[in-house]
């Protein structure tokens, strides 16, 4: 049978009624007891037994709260014993499948995210990606991301509601702000909808500046220290052809 994980404790499971009979005569045909014989779930389930005219009707009752995220399925046996000598018994296997209820909030992988991006990056650049996880399943597990607020405004960022990717939607400028703070939320698709929150901090960096340095033998390019002669530089690049540079010997 199938029951939701928020099924009330001390309630009989609907849809399961086990009738136990014995075709023998007199005491040999009387069912004297029935019980849960194999239960490795700390007595989560029990049975309510009704004796009538030598037969037994057994109904399953829930003794403890369920949690699908911990145990999604229970399998146990009910044993019935007759009054013969020696007594004989029989077993029936019961399978209880626990279905999901939206009882878990989405949780971000970090309470706060710190991203950096150079202010000269083009519109549409990915600044970073946030992720939230939900322990439920199905639609209860599906998460959508939203920006709740941005400081300062206007916000130059957009958060993809499906992927959690934060991208730029306008030109970045350190003259407007060097740092942005975004409050974000991840909301699942369950009923009721549950959510979790986090904070993104974005630091705008100055662009990398490529410089040419003239030494006694040629040019050094930026941090890579790529050296070229003045003649080669004029021939290959065509820059500063008439500039005040001289070829070293």
């Amino acid at each position: 049978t199938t029951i939701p994980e928020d099924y009330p404790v001390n309630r009989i499971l609907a849809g399961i009624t086990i009738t136990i009979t014995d075709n023998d005569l007199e005491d040999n045909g009387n069912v004297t007891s029935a019980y849960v014989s194999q239960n490795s779930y700390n007595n989560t389930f029990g049975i309510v037994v009704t004796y009538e005219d030598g037969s037994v009707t057994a109904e399953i009752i829930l003794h403890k709260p369920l949690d699908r995220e911990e145990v999604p399925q229970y399998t146990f046996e009910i044993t019935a014993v007759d009054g013969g000598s020696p007594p004989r018994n029989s077993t029936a296997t019961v399978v209880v499948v626990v279905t999901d209820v939206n009882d878990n909030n989405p949780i971000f992988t970090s309470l706060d995210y710190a991203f950096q991006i150079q202010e000269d990056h083009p519109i549409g650049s990915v600044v970073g990606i946030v992720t939230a996880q939900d322990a439920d399943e199905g639609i209860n597990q599906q998460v959508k991301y939203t920006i709740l607020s941005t400081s300062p405004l206007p916000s130059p960022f957009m958060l993809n509601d499906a992927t959690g990717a934060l991208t730029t939607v306008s030109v970045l400028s350190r003259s407007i702000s060097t740092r942005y703070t975004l409050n974000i939320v991840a909301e699942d698709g369950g009923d009721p909808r549950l959510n979790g929150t986090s904070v993104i901090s974005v630091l705008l960096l100055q662009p990398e500046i490529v410089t040419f340095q003239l030494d006694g033998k040629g040019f050094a390019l930026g941090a890579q220290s790529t050296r070229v002669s003045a003649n080669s530089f004029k021939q290959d690049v065509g820059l500063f052809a008439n500039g005040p540079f001289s070829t070293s010997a």
Side-chain angles (χ1 to χ4, degrees):
T1 189
T2 300
I3 60 174
E5 63 179 318
D6 62 350
Y7 200 85
V9 174
N10 296 324
R11 178 176 293 184
I12 292 174
L13 273 60
I16 298 183
T17 299
I18 301 172
T19 301
I20 307 167
T21 59
D22 192 315
N23 292 326
D24 290 325
L25 300 176
E26 300 180 347
D27 290 342
N28 295 336
N30 290 329
V31 179
T32 58
S33 65
Y35 54 91
V36 177
S37 57
Q38 292 187 14
N39 189 349
S40 60
Y41 308 105
N42 196 22
N43 297 317
T44 300
F45 296 95
I47 57 173
V48 176
V49 179
T50 302
Y51 296 91
E52 185 176 356
D53 297 330
S55 66
V56 169
T57 299
E59 296 177 294
I60 300 171
I61 186 171
L62 178 66
H63 284 321
K64 297 183 178 180
L66 302 173
D67 187 347
R68 185 205 63 84
E69 288 73 37
E70 294 292 333
V71 183
Q73 179 174 302
Y74 295 83
T75 302
F76 53 91
E77 292 184 348
I78 293 177
T79 296
V81 182
D82 66 21
S85 181
R88 295 184 179 275
N89 63 66
S90 180
T91 62
T93 300
V94 177
V95 178
V96 179
V97 177
V98 183
T99 58
D100 187 49
V101 171
N102 193 32
D103 57 352
N104 290 279
N105 291 64
I107 299 175
F108 280 97
T109 55
S110 178
L111 292 177
D112 53 84
Y113 295 87
F115 299 141
Q116 297 179 343
I117 186 172
Q118 294 174 4
E119 65 174 338
D120 61 343
H121 272 55
I123 294 174
S125 297
V126 176
V127 182
I129 298 175
V130 300
T131 303
Q133 300 172 340
D134 193 310
D136 293 312
E137 67 177 3
I139 193 172
N140 296 334
Q141 187 185 49
Q142 297 175 9
V143 173
K144 288 187 176 181
Y145 303 95
T146 306
I147 297 175
L148 292 176
S149 64
T150 304
S151 178
L153 291 172
S155 174
F157 306 107
M158 178 189 73
L159 187 62
N160 187 292
D161 65 353
T163 66
L166 185 71
T167 57
T168 59
V169 292
S170 61
V171 175
L172 302 175
S173 175
R174 285 171 52 86
S175 63
I176 298 175
S177 180
T178 60
R179 185 184 298 273
Y180 288 86
T181 301
L182 298 83
N183 294 300
I184 61 173
V185 62
E187 185 178 70
D188 65 26
D191 183 17
R193 296 181 184 275
L194 302 178
N195 63 68
T197 59
S198 184
V199 178
I200 300 175
S201 177
V202 181
L203 178 65
L204 299 192
L205 304 177
Q206 292 182 347
E208 291 184 355
I209 300 175
V210 179
T211 59
F212 294 92
Q213 181 181 355
L214 178 63
D215 63 13
K217 297 183 179 180
F219 296 94
L221 178 61
Q224 296 179 348
S225 298
T226 303
R227 301 172 64 87
V228 294
S229 69
N231 281 342
S232 173
F233 190 78
K234 287 189 288 185
Q235 292 173 2
D236 294 342
V237 181
L239 298 176
F240 311 111
N242 298 316
F245 304 110
S246 60
T247 306
S248 59

